[in-house]
Amino acid sequence: MNENNLRILGLQQKIENNKKLSKQLKVVAGVCLFSSGCYCLGAKNLGNAIDRANVILVNIIWIISIIILVGLYVKDSCCVKRNKAYELDIYRLEVEDLIDKKEIAKITGEVLPDYVLNKQIDMPNEKVSLPIIYYSILVGIDVIIRISLIKILSL
């Protein structure tokens, strides 16, 4: 196995690790929203029995959940962008490997098999799809929870 193939395998492993991390970040975001919602809606059910300290705590928890969701979005977006960079590196390495094989064959006078001569390496799609819809929905739900708390608790 040559050096380029090892680099490609390493980059593919990094892509898989980033995909796993992205899934884990989405799960953490869902758990964050769920726990924030449970706490805030639990406070909503208490209604007028809430004292001023609990109202402040509900506000702090809501703000922290929004900050966590935004932070998770930024981290998830970085994973997606890194994956795109790794895909472009893999493409570059495959093209360089194919060019090197053809040059070596030309210098040594070897005849390359047809699958090598006719091999076409497709450039990866340049479009980067960030997980903005997922995180926007979660933040939207968090805002809806906050609006419902304002109406009930008259904060």
Side-chain angles (χ1 to χ4, degrees):
M1 209 176 227
N2 66 16
E3 187 178 332
N4 278 344
N5 287 341
L6 289 175
R7 286 183 183 166
I8 290 171
L9 288 175
L11 291 172
Q12 288 173 342
Q13 183 64 38
K14 288 180 182 180
I15 289 172
E16 290 303 316
N17 290 342
N18 277 341
K19 286 180 181 180
K20 286 179 187 177
L21 179 61
S22 180
K23 288 177 186 177
Q24 291 170 349
L25 290 173
K26 287 181 174 121
V27 169
V28 169
V31 169
C32 173
L33 177 68
F34 178 75
S35 59
S36 169
C38 286
Y39 185 83
C40 292
L41 293 176
K44 173 183 163 183
N45 290 335
L46 293 176
N48 293 332
I50 294 181
D51 60 352
R52 186 75 179 147
N54 285 338
V55 170
I56 293 171
L57 185 61
V58 166
N59 288 332
I60 290 172
I61 288 176
W62 180 76
I63 290 169
I64 289 172
S65 72
I66 291 289
I67 291 170
I68 290 172
L69 289 175
V70 170
L72 290 171
Y73 167 73
V74 169
K75 179 67 176 166
D76 201 358
S77 296
C78 287
C79 287
V80 169
K81 289 177 184 178
R82 267 189 264 138
N83 276 353
K84 188 54 68 177
Y86 292 149
E87 288 175 4
L88 291 173
D89 285 345
I90 289 172
Y91 170 75
R92 181 185 53 80
L93 288 171
E94 287 178 343
V95 168
E96 287 176 2
D97 189 45
L98 183 61
I99 290 171
D100 289 345
K101 283 181 184 177
K102 288 181 179 179
E103 286 180 9
I104 290 171
K106 186 186 287 185
I107 292 170
T108 61
E110 280 184 43
V111 177
L112 290 174
D114 286 340
Y115 72 89
V116 174
L117 289 173
N118 298 331
K119 184 176 181 179
Q120 292 212 343
I121 302 169
D122 297 326
M123 185 167 183
N125 188 359
E126 292 181 12
K127 182 182 175 190
V128 177
S129 57
L130 299 176
I132 193 162
I133 294 174
Y134 178 78
Y135 288 98
S136 298
I137 290 171
L138 292 181
V139 169
I141 292 170
D142 214 4
V143 168
I144 290 171
I145 290 170
R146 177 68 178 130
I147 291 171
S148 72
L149 282 173
I150 290 173
K151 288 183 180 181
I152 298 298
L153 300 176
S154 299
L155 300 174

